[in-house]
Amino acid sequence: MSLAIERIIDISLELDPKNFAMRTPAGFKKDMQFEMEVLKEHDAPGGAGQIVRGVHMRLHAGSHVDAPEHNVRGGTQIHQLPLELFIGDAIVADLRDKMPGKAITENDLEKAAGTRIRKGDRLLLRTDHNNTYDGGSDKWMKASPYLTIGAPRVFHNSRTLSEHGIVTMPYLKNLDRISKDRVTLIGFPLNIIGAEASPVRAVVLL
């Protein structure tokens, strides 16, 4: 039985070593920018005619899921989260008026989604800022809207969400292509054991 899907919209950032980079905040013992290399060529002697590539990356590169352990020592890890979290109804909260660099308050979220959101919904925050993601430059960071203490505390919003067991999916794009009020969001993480995050290929079904 096929699903009644009109369209699939990819809302994930592209991972291309030619134009993708990430900021390196203080505290890193070493860094892993996104790189890809060929480990075996098609014409390698005894290589069965196959090409094999490898990637060098953080688990937080591009669109990804953050488990509570990302911010909470001893918190739930990726492999411990139920798969049901990563598929289901979602609504878009239009917050484009918070560009550039304005605060998103609890009242703003209530205005943008309060009358439409249902228990169990996933909430997509639309600012369209990630449509021009440049690797997190200072200019890009200053233009990025942010959640405040009531929704939750400024500069520590991901920590506050993690402390309450809420799973986040940062760095999504193309939310401007969503034409329906309610969609199905799918963004499964990899089944990595002992990790605080995982890359995802996030899509919405219309």
Side-chain angles (χ1 to χ4, degrees):
M1 182 178 177
S2 61
L3 295 173
I5 301 171
E6 294 180 13
R7 193 153 51 106
I8 299 176
I9 299 177
D10 191 345
I11 57 173
S12 306
L13 284 180
E14 298 87 355
L15 286 174
D16 182 346
K18 295 178 182 178
N19 56 26
F20 180 84
M22 299 182 73
R23 295 171 62 248
T24 306
F28 276 62
K29 293 188 292 185
K30 62 180 294 186
D31 196 13
M32 295 180 71
Q33 290 294 331
F34 183 81
E35 299 173 6
M36 186 164 54
E37 63 177 308
V38 175
L39 306 179
K40 181 168 72 71
E41 296 280 6
H42 283 109
D43 57 358
Q50 299 170 334
I51 190 168
V52 177
R53 292 181 176 88
V55 294
H56 181 273
M57 63 184 289
R58 303 181 202 170
L59 293 177
H60 302 263
S63 304
H64 64 276
V65 169
D66 286 325
E69 194 209 20
H70 180 42
N71 294 292
V72 179
R73 188 185 298 272
T76 305
Q77 296 182 324
I78 283 292
H79 72 282
Q80 297 169 320
L81 295 171
L83 290 178
E84 289 79 9
L85 288 177
F86 305 107
I87 180 171
D89 284 0
I91 64 168
V92 177
D94 192 338
L95 299 163
R96 286 175 291 168
D97 61 325
K98 299 303 173 182
M99 284 287 292
K102 297 179 182 177
I104 299 172
T105 67
E106 187 175 6
N107 287 337
D108 292 327
L109 290 180
E110 184 68 29
K111 180 181 177 181
T115 59
R116 297 180 294 124
I117 197 164
R118 304 171 186 168
K119 184 177 180 179
D121 277 351
R122 292 128 193 92
L123 184 61
L124 299 170
L125 306 183
R126 178 187 174 187
T127 65
D128 292 348
H129 192 38
N130 284 336
N131 288 358
T132 55
Y133 179 72
D134 66 358
S137 67
D138 289 341
K139 179 181 179 181
W140 186 89
M141 291 295 294
K142 289 178 181 178
S144 181
Y146 58 93
L147 298 172
T148 62
I149 190 168
R153 60 182 185 265
V154 64
F155 299 132
H156 297 284
N157 51 75
S158 63
R159 179 176 301 279
T160 301
L161 294 171
S162 293
E163 289 170 347
H164 289 81
I166 297 173
V167 175
T168 57
M169 189 180 292
Y171 296 105
L172 302 178
K173 64 181 294 186
N174 297 332
L175 300 187
D176 55 309
R177 298 181 185 178
I178 298 176
S179 57
K180 289 189 174 182
D181 185 62
R182 181 168 292 273
V183 296
T184 298
L185 171 66
I186 302 175
F188 288 112
L190 302 177
N191 192 13
I192 305 175
I193 306 301
E196 83 291 349
S198 170
V200 297
R201 181 69 177 269
V203 301
V204 294
L205 309 182
L206 299 188

